[in-house]
Amino acid sequence: MYRNDKVIRRYSEPFKLKILAELTIGKHTKSELCKLYSIAPTTVNVWIKKYNRKDLMNTRVKVETKDEISRIKGLQKEIEQLKKLLLKKDLDAMVEESYLEVAAEDLGFKSIAELKKVKYKALIKAKEKSKRFASLTTITHCFGLKRDAYYKYKSRADKRLILEQQIINIVRKRRKSLPREGVRKLIKSLDIDFNKVNIKVGRDTLFNVLRKHQMLTLRKKTSARTTNSYHRFYKYNNIIKDLEVTGANQVWVSDITYIRTVKGFCYLALITDMHSRKIVGYDLSDSLELKGCVRALNKAIYQAKKIKQLIHHSDRGIQYCSNVYTQILKRKR
């Protein structure tokens, strides 16, 4: 981690205890240990204060008697036990977090915090279903929680429901006159109404509340139909189903797509070479008439050099099966 172009190191708990243990034994002074492990003396002083080892501050322990040696060995054993406990706690926390992350991903939650909220919702549901055959203390104990956790969450949930209901009532009054008004406009137009009842509502909160109550105004998407396969013209069979395309100008694929504009739709007729993916002919028009497809075909034929044994493939719409279109293809065959 960097801050103002300086490296900030993070040391683990076992490493801190190891430094203090070596300082306790007295083999090295504090300055020697700092040079050996590249640690600032002030950092070691912070650790000494953190673990309440003031006896190590600016001192060096000298081992002189057998009692001191046995005491140091006892302290070393205690340190090793503490290291193991800390390591076990770190591992347990890591395993629990991994379980929660996987569960959140599989169940579709955005984060672990959102998944943990389900625990409190389940607690409230269990209390409602218990119907007095189990005490609240017993139920909360099953969830690994305390009684006050139930009351705190229920209080917050009740306040949230009251707030949501106030927001819904205000939005419904507004929607009577403007039923298609979206959330971004509602934030500005209802700002005075929210202030009257002392409610602070942001854009995301309003989105979530309206989504929960299915009150979002969805945009009506309009699309254009470009294929009409129900016509009187002859429909040719699909002969490229199992065909292996090995070169250019072997198969041309024709289709029509629409482009949305401010004034409506434009229709783009395309002819694409199946092997090279190159657009060999195109035409843009304001209607689905046959003229656009014919112009695209003529452009493709004019630019192509070798089109003998060429296969023309389409969705067999009315434009591509018409007599005018098929006659052009037959003449160039």
Side-chain angles (χ1 to χ4, degrees):
M1 183 176 178
Y2 293 85
R3 185 181 295 167
N4 296 330
D5 297 328
K6 292 182 179 179
V7 179
I8 299 174
R9 295 181 179 177
R10 303 294 185 192
Y11 300 99
S12 62
E13 296 295 324
F15 179 77
K16 296 175 184 178
L17 292 170
K18 177 186 174 183
I19 298 297
L20 296 182
E22 290 187 14
L23 195 60
T24 304
I25 294 169
K27 289 183 179 180
H28 301 284
T29 62
K30 190 191 299 180
S31 59
E32 289 173 352
L33 281 172
C34 292
K35 288 179 181 179
L36 184 63
Y37 292 99
S38 301
I39 310 169
T42 53
T43 305
V44 178
N45 290 336
V46 171
W47 298 346
I48 291 170
K49 290 178 182 178
K50 179 180 178 181
Y51 295 100
N52 199 19
R53 297 295 303 278
K54 294 180 180 179
D55 57 305
L56 300 178
M57 189 68 75
N58 298 324
T59 59
R60 179 175 177 176
V61 178
K62 293 182 180 180
V63 181
E64 294 179 352
T65 62
K66 291 182 179 180
D67 293 337
E68 288 179 349
I69 293 171
S70 60
R71 183 176 65 84
I72 290 168
K73 287 182 179 179
L75 289 172
Q76 286 178 340
K77 288 181 180 180
E78 288 181 8
I79 290 168
E80 290 297 326
Q81 290 176 356
L82 288 171
K83 283 181 183 178
K84 290 179 181 179
L85 285 172
L86 285 170
L87 182 62
K88 189 177 182 305
K89 285 186 177 180
D90 290 341
L91 286 172
D92 290 342
M94 184 186 69
V95 170
E96 184 181 358
E97 188 176 356
S98 301
Y99 271 121
L100 290 173
E101 284 178 359
V102 173
E105 290 174 3
D106 292 345
L107 296 173
F109 291 99
K110 294 179 181 178
S111 61
I112 297 175
E114 190 176 348
L115 177 62
K116 287 181 178 178
K117 289 179 182 178
V118 178
K119 188 177 185 179
Y120 294 97
K121 291 180 181 178
L123 174 61
I124 292 175
K125 281 282 184 184
K127 179 66 175 68
E128 293 173 355
K129 289 181 179 180
S130 64
K131 296 180 181 179
R132 297 181 182 178
F133 72 83
S135 65
L136 180 60
T137 306
T138 306
I139 296 170
T140 52
H141 181 71
C142 294
F143 283 89
L145 299 171
K146 295 181 180 180
R147 287 170 58 94
D148 60 341
Y150 168 81
Y151 290 115
K152 284 180 182 178
Y153 184 81
K154 193 172 187 309
S155 175
R156 289 197 300 268
D158 292 341
K159 288 179 181 178
R160 197 179 299 114
L161 286 174
I162 294 170
L163 178 65
E164 287 180 7
Q165 195 57 49
Q166 287 178 317
I167 293 170
I168 292 299
N169 292 335
I170 293 170
V171 172
R172 278 177 179 163
K173 288 180 182 179
R174 180 71 177 178
R175 287 273 174 86
K176 286 181 180 179
S177 56
L178 294 169
R180 298 291 302 170
E181 190 172 7
V183 175
R184 290 173 179 83
K185 291 183 179 179
L186 282 171
I187 284 290
K188 295 180 180 179
S189 61
L190 295 178
D191 186 43
I192 298 172
D193 296 326
F194 288 143
N195 288 332
K196 284 181 181 178
V197 291
N198 295 323
I199 297 176
K200 291 183 179 180
V201 182
R203 184 195 64 185
D204 294 341
T205 303
L206 188 58
F207 260 114
N208 294 333
V209 171
L210 296 184
R211 186 183 293 111
K212 181 181 176 181
H213 293 271
Q214 298 180 352
M215 291 179 65
L216 290 176
T217 55
L218 301 177
R219 182 182 295 176
K220 294 181 180 179
K221 293 185 178 180
T222 55
S223 60
R225 185 181 175 184
T226 58
T227 304
N228 178 17
S229 300
Y230 301 99
H231 50 74
R232 60 184 177 85
F233 299 106
Y234 179 75
K235 297 177 184 177
Y236 293 86
N237 294 327
N238 183 10
I239 61 175
I240 69 165
K241 188 175 182 181
D242 299 319
L243 180 68
E244 183 180 354
V245 182
T246 57
N249 291 333
Q250 184 181 354
V251 178
W252 283 357
V253 180
S254 300
D255 199 4
I256 305 172
T257 185
Y258 67 89
I259 301 172
R260 194 189 304 271
T261 64
V262 177
K263 294 182 179 180
F265 293 101
C266 288
Y267 301 92
L268 180 64
L270 296 169
I271 298 178
T272 308
D273 184 82
M274 195 171 183
H275 181 264
S276 64
R277 309 290 183 183
K278 179 184 176 182
I279 296 173
V280 293
Y282 68 92
D283 183 80
L284 185 66
S285 59
D286 58 355
S287 68
L288 285 168
E289 292 180 0
L290 177 62
K291 295 177 183 179
C293 298
V294 171
R295 286 195 293 265
L297 179 61
N298 288 330
K299 282 183 182 179
I301 293 171
Y302 179 76
Q303 293 176 5
K305 294 179 180 179
K306 296 179 181 180
I307 56 172
K308 288 184 178 181
Q309 297 182 346
L310 172 70
I311 299 172
H312 181 280
H313 182 77
S314 69
D315 58 4
R316 300 192 295 184
I318 190 171
Q319 297 92 339
Y320 300 115
C321 293
S322 64
N323 294 328
V324 176
Y325 197 90
T326 53
Q327 286 300 320
I328 295 171
L329 292 172
K330 287 176 182 179
R331 283 200 302 268
K332 298 295 180 179
R333 186 167 54 182

